[in-house]
């Protein structure tokens, strides 16, 4: 009921549309109830009396009613679907907005394909329910009650005999309902599995081909595909049992009308008109029952989807603003990490024993405008530091401050506005070069793009392209080289112009010329900014103001390149 109530809330914004479609539905149901009654009057009264004038009038009236029914049915179907799609679009917008707010840790633990499935498939089924749910229910109730009343006025005995079948039908429907519910839940999980498998396989197509593992991927996909098929088969089986069972009950009712109705006619208790009218009502009466059964099906599918939608909407973003957060305006760029403890997996048991800590009482102070490089063996937590300063993850204890202000108290957007990150692997969106650079400052002018790309040493390359800034980069920038992508991501930061810069150095080797171009661009970029370089190779950091060497216990050495070499400690060893 709680779920249903929260679902119904979505109708609030479209109440006029809902009322209109419901009115159409009422009219439709009334028209459908009137037809058999009119036909009964024609057969029993007008035709035997050979009243040609009334016969023509009523026939004309029937044609008008059919046309009216056509128009009403059109509006009900069209606007009913519009209602459904509006609710679907609204929910999709809310879900996408919510996904944008979720923290890194959510994406670390959830597959993209599964999230996509929720965003696309589940909501489609909710739309079906939103559209058909209340309207079909309304039509069904009016038709059922109306048919019952009209049938009673025609013949009580026959009506009661027909209605005696109903409890058995309901029992059958309810017992099947649960089986269908389980089956639909399972297909949803399986389709998400297909999505996620395809997404990974297509996203990693280069690695797949490099390792000649196409067949392995096909097998993996086929397994998921087969699992989906099996789950789908189960839904078809339960659905088939359900609907064919319902048909048996319908046929039974028709049989009762013909058999018992015929018997009553032979005993002079029923007219032919009433028998035909009963047969027509039976259809009118069974139709809503069938519709209600379909409704049960779409209700289960839609609600299963809605439950998953709700489940996702209820995930609270781990990283969010406090009430009345601080806004950073002009900052100097002093950074301090003090006694920072951090772990990615925050299971309390492990935390107690400090087992999963990546940083344990880590301390580091960086002055405004200083350029430091962090070095250390692989996996020691260098990139982790670059994730903590912009608050992609929250620390477990200790503090991180910018100009003395605790970052957890600063408005997230204002914090991130002041930080630029050049990541290890440049990520480009599937648009043009201009759009990708402009991502650093939405609405940037062409002149600003040119200036930024000049500073990033990529302008010459861009102007050599026939379409220049309008050149499409392909999905994730596949049409560009690693070095070109890097420089585009540097140009983005020039446009953003943040005070704090984090350079997570590319681990991939670049040729000497490209590396020189990138290094030059980075030198220009780091001027007058606090710069933290996460160094995966040592060749590029010799000129840093300060080099910080870290191991699993924290900072072990700090100084300039020369000072550290003289120390003959960890850095000297690493460097050698
Ligand atoms: N998102 C994550 N979830 C869980 N654990 C993670 C995550 N990212 C990194 N780790 C773990 O944290 C540790 C530190 O990783 P980090 O990427 O900071 O190392 P690094 O010093 O930058 O290494 P490298 O020089 O190889 O890039 C590693 O043991 C890694 O397995």
């Amino acid at each position: 009921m709680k779920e249903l109530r929260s679902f119904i809330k979505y109708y609030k914004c479209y109440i006029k549309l809902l009322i209109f479609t419901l009115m159409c539905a009422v009219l439709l149901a009334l028209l459908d109830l009137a037809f058999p009654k009119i036909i009964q009057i024609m057969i029993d009264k007008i035709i035997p009396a050979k009243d040609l004038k009334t016969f023509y009038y009523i026939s004309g009236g029937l044609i008008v009613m059919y046309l009216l029914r056509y128009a009403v049915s059109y509006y009900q179907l069209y606007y009913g679907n519009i209602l459904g799609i509006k609710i679907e679009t609204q929910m999709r917008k809310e879900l996408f907005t919510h996904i944008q707010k979720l923290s890194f840790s959510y994406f670390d633990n959830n597959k993209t394909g599964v999230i996509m499935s929720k965003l696309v498939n589940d909501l489609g089924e909710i739309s079906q329910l939103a559209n058909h749910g209340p309207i079909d229910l309304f039509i069904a109730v009016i038709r059922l009650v109306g048919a019952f009343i009209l049938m009673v006025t025609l013949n009580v005995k026959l009506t009661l005999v027909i209605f005696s079948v109903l409890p058995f039908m309901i029992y059958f429907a309810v017992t099947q309902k649960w089986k269908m519910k389980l089956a639909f839940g399972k297909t949803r999980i399986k389709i998400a599995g297909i999505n996620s498998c395809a997404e990974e396989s297509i996203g990693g197509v280069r690695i797949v081909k490099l390792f000649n593992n196409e067949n392995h991927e096909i097998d993996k996909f086929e397994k998921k595909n087969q699992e989906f098929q099996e789950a789908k088969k189960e839904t078809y089986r339960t659905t088939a049992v359900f609907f064919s069972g319902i048909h048996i009950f319908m046929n039974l009712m028709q049989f009762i009308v013909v058999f018992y109705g015929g018997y009553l006619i032979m005993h002079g208790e029923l007219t032919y008109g009433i028998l035909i009218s009963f047969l027509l009502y039976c259809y009118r009466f069974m139709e809503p029952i069938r519709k209600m059964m379909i409704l049960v099906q779409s209700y289960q599918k839609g609600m299963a989807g809605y439950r998953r939608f709700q489940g996702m909407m209820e995930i609270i973003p781990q990283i969010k603003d406090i009430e009345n957060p601080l806004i950073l305006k002009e900052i100097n760029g002093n950074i301090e990490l003090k006694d920072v403890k951090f772990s990615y997996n925050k299971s309390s048991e492990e935390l107690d024993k400090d087992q999963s800590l990546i940083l344990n009482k880590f301390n580091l102070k960086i002055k405004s405008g200083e350029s430091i490089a962090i070095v250390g063996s692989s996996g020691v937590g260098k990139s982790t530091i670059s994730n903590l300063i912009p608050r992609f993850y929250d620390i477990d204890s200790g503090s991180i401050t910018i100009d003395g202000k605790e970052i957890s108290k600063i408005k997230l957007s204002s914090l991130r506005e002041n930080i630029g990150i050049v990541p290890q692997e440049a990520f480009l969106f599937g648009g043009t070069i201009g759009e990708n650079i402009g991502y650093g400052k939405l609405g940037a002018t062409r002149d600003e793009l040119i200036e930024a790309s000049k500073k990033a040493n990529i302008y010459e390359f861009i102007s050599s392209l026939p379409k220049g800034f309008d050149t499409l980069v392909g999905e994730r920038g596949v049409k560009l080289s690693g070095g070109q992508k890097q420089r585009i991501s540097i140009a983005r930061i020039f446009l953003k112009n943040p005070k704090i810069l984090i350079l997570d150095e590319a681990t991939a080797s670049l040729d000497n010329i490209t590396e020189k171009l990138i290094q030059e661009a980075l030198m220009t970029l780091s001027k007058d900014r606090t710069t933290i370089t996460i160094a995966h190779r040592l060749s590029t950091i010799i000129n840093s103001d300060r080099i910080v060497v870290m191991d699993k216990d924290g900072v072990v050495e700090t100084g300039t390149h020369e000072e550290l070499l003289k120390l003959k400690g960890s850095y000297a060893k690493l460097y050698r």
Side-chain angles (χ1 to χ4, degrees):
M1 281 314 280
K2 199 176 135 223
E3 267 163 22
L4 200 59
R5 246 180 278 138
S6 81
F7 181 64
I8 288 170
K9 268 201 327 243
Y10 282 92
Y11 285 103
K12 269 192 190 152
C13 308
Y14 310 105
I15 197 79
K16 279 189 198 154
L17 206 53
L18 179 66
I19 292 174
F20 178 72
T21 39
L22 286 179
M23 273 164 50
C24 288
V26 174
L27 197 55
L28 209 59
L30 292 179
L31 282 170
D32 282 347
L33 286 172
F35 291 127
K37 181 74 192 164
I38 296 171
I39 285 166
Q40 183 256 321
I41 294 170
M42 289 268 265
I43 294 173
D44 282 345
K45 298 203 174 127
I46 317 293
I47 298 173
K50 298 201 170 97
D51 181 352
L52 220 56
K53 206 174 144 201
T54 320
F55 182 72
Y56 286 142
Y57 275 136
I58 294 184
S59 302
L62 271 178
I63 291 174
V64 173
M65 279 168 71
Y66 284 129
L67 288 176
L68 182 65
R69 192 194 183 283
Y70 165 78
V72 174
S73 159
Y74 165 83
Y75 282 116
Q76 187 250 311
L77 280 173
Y78 178 69
Y79 285 106
N81 279 317
I82 296 284
L83 178 68
I85 192 69
K86 283 198 173 200
I87 290 181
E88 179 184 339
T89 313
Q90 166 82 14
M91 284 181 175
R92 188 168 286 127
K93 180 182 156 197
E94 282 178 20
L95 189 56
F96 190 75
T97 310
H98 185 68
I99 291 172
Q100 293 287 325
K101 287 187 202 146
L102 292 177
S103 319
F104 270 34
S105 55
Y106 176 80
F107 298 100
D108 290 348
N109 297 314
N110 290 278
K111 291 186 170 182
T112 314
V114 175
I115 303 174
M116 298 272 289
S117 187
K118 289 183 187 178
L119 198 60
V120 181
N121 301 22
D122 286 358
L123 291 182
E125 280 170 2
I126 297 174
S127 162
Q128 284 294 314
L129 173 64
N131 162 17
H132 294 295
I135 297 158
D136 284 1
L137 188 68
F138 209 54
I139 295 182
V141 170
I142 294 177
R143 276 190 173 179
L144 265 181
V145 175
F148 179 74
I149 294 170
L150 289 168
M151 283 160 93
V152 166
T153 61
L154 290 175
N155 190 293
V156 180
K157 272 192 205 166
L158 196 51
T159 312
L160 291 181
V161 174
I162 291 170
F163 268 75
S164 66
V165 177
L166 214 57
F168 299 101
M169 197 166 164
I170 291 171
Y171 172 76
F172 172 78
V174 170
T175 49
Q176 287 302 311
K177 188 180 134 172
W178 286 106
K179 290 183 186 165
M180 281 168 69
K181 185 179 169 170
L182 290 178
F184 283 121
K186 214 166 170 186
T187 51
R188 200 148 297 102
I189 293 167
K190 298 295 174 195
I191 192 79
I194 288 193
N195 268 346
S196 133
C197 181
E199 199 266 339
E200 272 179 349
S201 201
I202 296 167
V205 67
R206 282 165 183 76
I207 301 293
V208 173
K209 290 198 186 297
L210 185 69
F211 283 93
N212 259 339
N213 274 349
E214 288 95 333
N215 286 338
H216 171 68
E217 289 300 311
I218 293 169
D219 289 347
K220 244 172 38 184
F221 185 80
E222 188 48 17
K223 194 164 165 264
K224 299 272 177 209
N225 210 14
Q226 284 299 329
E227 282 173 9
F228 174 69
Q229 189 187 341
E230 288 310 312
K232 206 68 193 171
K233 270 190 200 161
E234 182 58 18
T235 67
Y236 290 140
R237 202 189 61 76
T238 49
T239 314
V241 170
F242 187 78
F243 284 105
S244 45
I246 293 294
H247 266 108
I248 290 182
F249 284 103
M250 285 182 165
N251 292 343
L252 183 63
M253 283 186 181
Q254 256 163 357
F255 174 76
I256 291 172
V257 172
V258 175
F259 184 79
Y260 187 55
Y263 175 86
L264 290 177
I265 289 182
M266 286 183 223
H267 287 78
E269 287 183 42
L270 206 71
T271 64
Y272 289 105
I274 295 183
L275 180 75
I276 291 172
S277 174
F278 250 89
L279 275 176
L280 290 175
Y281 273 126
C282 247
Y283 172 74
R284 294 278 185 277
F285 168 73
M286 281 184 253
E287 182 57 21
I289 294 180
R290 208 177 63 85
K291 271 256 168 82
M292 269 181 157
M293 298 312 164
I294 296 176
L295 187 64
V296 170
Q297 190 186 3
S298 68
Y299 179 79
Q300 273 155 3
K301 276 205 237 173
M303 271 298 161
Y306 185 67
R307 226 164 280 135
R308 283 157 66 95
F309 164 78
Q310 271 296 85
M312 193 138 168
M313 290 298 287
E314 279 166 9
I315 296 168
I316 300 165
Q318 285 180 353
I319 312 285
K320 54 181 179 197
D321 284 329
I322 56 159
E323 250 178 68
N324 304 320
L326 298 168
I327 310 272
L328 290 183
K329 292 221 172 84
E330 287 284 299
I331 67 162
N332 295 320
N334 293 296
I335 305 171
E336 184 170 7
L337 287 89
K338 206 169 173 187
D339 293 335
V340 169
K341 279 193 180 188
F342 173 76
S343 57
Y344 284 103
N345 302 315
K346 301 195 190 304
S347 89
S348 52
E349 204 178 285
E350 283 183 357
L351 268 187
D352 281 346
K353 296 181 201 145
D354 285 354
Q355 262 176 0
S356 57
L357 285 181
I358 305 290
L359 300 178
N360 194 356
K361 298 223 164 195
F362 185 84
N363 289 291
L364 181 64
K365 214 170 171 174
I366 311 157
K367 285 197 299 276
S368 159
E370 194 181 14
S371 148
I372 73 148
I374 302 179
V375 301
S377 50
S378 174
V380 81
K382 302 182 295 290
S383 300
T384 300
I385 294 171
S386 73
N387 282 333
L388 296 182
I389 297 172
R391 237 190 121 196
F392 290 142
Y393 297 88
D394 266 341
I395 53 176
D396 304 335
S397 66
S399 75
I400 300 180
T401 55
I402 289 180
D403 289 352
K405 296 182 184 88
E406 188 85 47
I407 58 166
S408 57
K409 300 202 170 101
I410 300 171
K411 195 172 167 59
L412 273 176
S413 55
S414 148
L415 170 73
R416 291 178 188 166
E417 218 170 76
N418 285 290
I419 301 173
I421 300 183
V422 180
Q424 256 183 46
E425 260 201 57
F427 179 91
L428 299 192
F429 292 98
T432 63
I433 292 183
E435 282 164 0
N436 268 293
I437 298 178
Y439 205 76
K441 182 181 172 189
L442 298 180
T445 62
R446 192 44 70 106
D447 285 346
E448 285 176 308
L449 293 184
I450 293 174
E451 197 193 327
S453 43
K454 276 184 182 162
K455 285 183 186 161
N457 274 343
I458 186 79
Y459 184 65
E460 217 171 292
F461 165 71
I462 297 173
S463 25
S464 74
L465 297 167
K467 289 191 176 165
F469 281 103
D470 299 325
T471 310
L472 290 169
V473 300
E475 195 179 18
R476 293 179 209 166
V478 284
K479 293 185 185 170
L480 298 175
S481 75
Q484 288 156 355
K485 280 197 273 187
Q486 274 285 343
R487 281 176 285 159
I488 288 179
S489 75
I490 293 170
R492 253 183 209 165
I493 308 289
F494 271 114
L495 271 185
K496 187 177 179 187
N497 194 22
K499 190 72 197 169
I500 295 169
L501 189 62
I502 298 171
L503 310 174
D504 205 348
E505 232 186 23
T507 37
S509 286
L510 300 162
D511 66 79
N512 287 343
I513 299 173
T514 315
E515 178 148 351
K516 196 166 157 269
L517 287 174
I518 292 179
Q519 281 312 317
E520 271 175 21
L522 290 177
M523 289 275 271
T524 324
L525 185 62
S526 49
K527 219 177 247 166
D528 299 326
R529 301 179 212 269
T530 308
T531 309
I532 303 169
T533 305
I534 310 293
H536 301 279
R537 289 169 301 148
L538 302 186
S539 53
T540 52
I541 53 150
I542 293 170
N543 296 325
S544 301
D545 296 339
R546 192 153 55 102
I547 296 168
V548 173
V549 186
M550 67 183 278
D551 71 5
K552 61 181 182 9
D553 299 319
V555 176
V556 283
E557 285 171 15
T558 147
T560 62
H561 174 67
E562 276 74 27
E563 284 166 2
L564 289 178
L565 279 187
K566 271 187 210 143
L567 261 184
K568 294 198 166 82
S570 305
Y571 180 78
K573 207 164 134 199
L574 271 173
Y575 188 73
R576 273 205 306 276

